[in-house]
Amino acid sequence: MKVLVESVSFAYGQGPVLSGVSVELPDGGITVLIGPSGSGKSTLLQLLAGLLHPTAGRILFDGEDVTGVPTERRDVGVVFQSYALFPHLSVRENIAFGLKTGRRRFSLRSSRRRPSRHSLEARVWDAAALLGLERLLDRRPGQLSGGEQQRVALARAVAPRPGLLLLDEPLSALDARLRRSLRAELASLLRKLGTTVFYVTHDQEEAMLLADHLVVLHEGRVEQAGPPLDLYRRPATPFVASFLGEASLVEVSAEGVGTPLGKLASPGRPCRGWVLVRPEDVTQDPAGAVATVVDARGLGPHDRVVLALENGAEVLAHFPPESAPEPGSRVRIGLRSRKPHFLENTD
């Protein structure tokens, strides 16, 4: 299913939550929406689910306007943060719940009927097998681990084979260790489904791992959208640069090539703004700029080092533990590339 959100706005009372948001969800792809708390992420998901209705704009599923269509007539499956499993029902019964309600997929041409008992059981088994839940079908949610409950909630959402699967921070209720271990598994499962996925999270690492298409939301507006590595390497705004991973922004002089890190390749036109410096971009260079080590902390595979340049600007670097400088020492640093990414100041 191809999903298009066109100039959608939403407000609670007098306060705007979303302002003119336009997003395209590629058919069969995983679109991840990321942003800080209060940016409107869950609101946009609820608009797609039909749980809320926009104050302006429209939403299209495969070219059909579903803006005013109720939730039960939309071809969607939803997994919330809490999973919302029925504690008195078995895993089998929880998965079957969405099928037993007899909901139809939304289509102006659809006349689907409630599945027969045989096909219902087959659909439950297929969903359980996809999520590796076959041996747990007769257990109840209270007998499952957090990761197993998450998979049951996902199986229940995909059993009706929706055209659009909506996930609202489905790993946030898990502890950090379990969340990390489930990310790769969840990414594999979602791609195996082949359905269109809209995934909401505030976790940058999770977003980069899962997304085919990444959307950054800030204060109710889309800051940037595109392939995740494009947003990481070529952010359009300082907010995107600082929100996706660690970043230092080094000021650029008026002619566009002079920086405290030395002369760098021009962006092709005079500009004033910043050079994006990721920690992995910084290297120790005998011919580079002088910097003082403000702080250095070991993080296992690398040391996180904060460096102060002679003009007072600070740069974050990752160095191998065996070559990381000590706090208080002075080093010379440069960038691995002489053609870094420039962010222009348009104010």
Side-chain angles (χ1 to χ4, degrees):
M1 177 191 289
K2 183 177 179 179
V3 177
L4 188 61
V5 176
E6 287 189 344
S7 303
V8 163
S9 298
F10 182 82
Y12 287 108
Q14 299 299 315
V17 179
L18 297 173
S19 302
V21 169
S22 293
V23 176
E24 184 175 330
L25 280 58
D27 187 10
I30 302 174
T31 298
V32 175
L33 181 68
I34 189 169
S37 297
S39 59
K41 301 187 302 297
S42 292
T43 298
L44 183 53
L45 181 141
Q46 291 179 64
L47 288 168
L48 287 169
L51 299 171
L52 298 174
H53 298 287
T55 52
R58 60 179 190 159
I59 298 170
L60 293 92
F61 288 1
D62 283 337
E64 298 176 353
D65 191 340
V66 299
T67 309
V69 173
T71 301
E72 63 272 15
R73 292 192 60 222
R74 295 196 186 194
D75 187 10
V76 299
V78 187
V79 178
F80 293 108
Q81 297 179 34
S82 63
Y83 307 149
L85 300 177
F86 298 104
H88 62 290
L89 299 181
S90 67
V91 169
R92 186 191 312 276
E93 291 166 330
N94 266 284
I95 296 173
F97 181 81
L99 296 167
K100 289 179 178 179
T101 58
R103 293 185 302 171
R104 294 184 296 134
R105 295 185 175 196
F106 172 78
S107 172
L108 297 180
R109 300 170 294 279
S110 176
S111 60
R112 294 180 179 272
R113 298 178 179 179
R114 183 182 303 181
S116 68
R117 179 175 178 80
H118 173 73
S119 63
L120 184 148
E121 291 175 351
R123 296 272 280 275
V124 169
W125 179 261
D126 287 347
L130 179 66
L131 277 300
L133 297 168
E134 303 97 313
R135 63 182 181 82
L136 304 176
L137 285 171
D138 294 321
R139 296 188 187 179
R140 292 191 176 182
Q143 299 172 298
L144 305 178
S145 68
E148 289 167 343
Q149 290 182 33
Q150 186 262 344
R151 281 188 281 159
V152 173
L154 188 56
R156 182 177 62 188
V158 303
R161 301 171 189 169
L164 174 63
L165 180 61
L166 306 171
L167 299 101
D168 190 4
E169 305 210 39
L171 301 182
S172 63
L174 306 177
D175 64 69
R177 182 186 61 81
L178 184 55
R179 189 164 64 243
R180 284 193 298 269
S181 69
L182 284 177
R183 282 173 185 161
E185 178 185 348
L186 183 58
S188 175
L189 289 169
L190 292 177
R191 288 186 169 85
K192 193 183 299 182
L193 290 174
T195 192
T196 302
V197 175
F198 186 72
Y199 190 106
V200 169
T201 184
H202 65 276
D203 188 309
Q204 295 93 329
E205 186 177 337
E206 188 172 297
M208 295 295 291
L209 177 65
L210 290 169
D212 299 319
H213 185 72
L214 185 62
V215 179
V216 179
L217 199 64
H218 182 218
E219 296 182 344
R221 298 181 183 273
V222 174
E223 284 274 322
Q224 191 175 356
L229 283 180
D230 281 1
L231 270 64
Y232 180 79
R233 293 170 178 163
R234 291 176 288 277
T237 66
F239 174 81
V240 176
S242 59
F243 190 75
L244 292 180
E246 295 183 301
S248 305
L249 297 176
V250 179
E251 191 171 1
V252 179
S253 64
E255 64 270 18
V257 295
T259 79
L261 285 170
K263 294 288 184 178
L264 301 171
S266 170
R269 64 190 182 284
C271 74
R272 181 180 295 276
W274 304 271
V275 171
L276 171 66
V277 179
R278 296 291 187 189
E280 62 270 22
D281 296 333
V282 181
T283 182
Q284 296 191 53
D285 181 354
V290 176
T292 301
V293 179
V294 177
D295 187 49
R297 299 180 185 275
L299 297 178
H302 62 258
D303 281 15
R304 184 181 186 276
V305 180
V306 180
L307 301 153
L309 300 172
E310 290 190 314
N311 72 337
E314 290 191 348
V315 173
L316 178 63
H318 289 168
F319 291 138
E322 64 272 12
S323 62
E326 295 293 325
S329 64
R330 290 167 67 82
V331 295
R332 287 185 174 271
I333 61 170
L335 299 181
R336 298 186 187 279
S337 171
R338 304 304 293 178
K339 295 183 178 180
H341 179 66
F342 287 86
L343 289 91
E344 191 168 355
N345 185 351
T346 57
D347 293 339

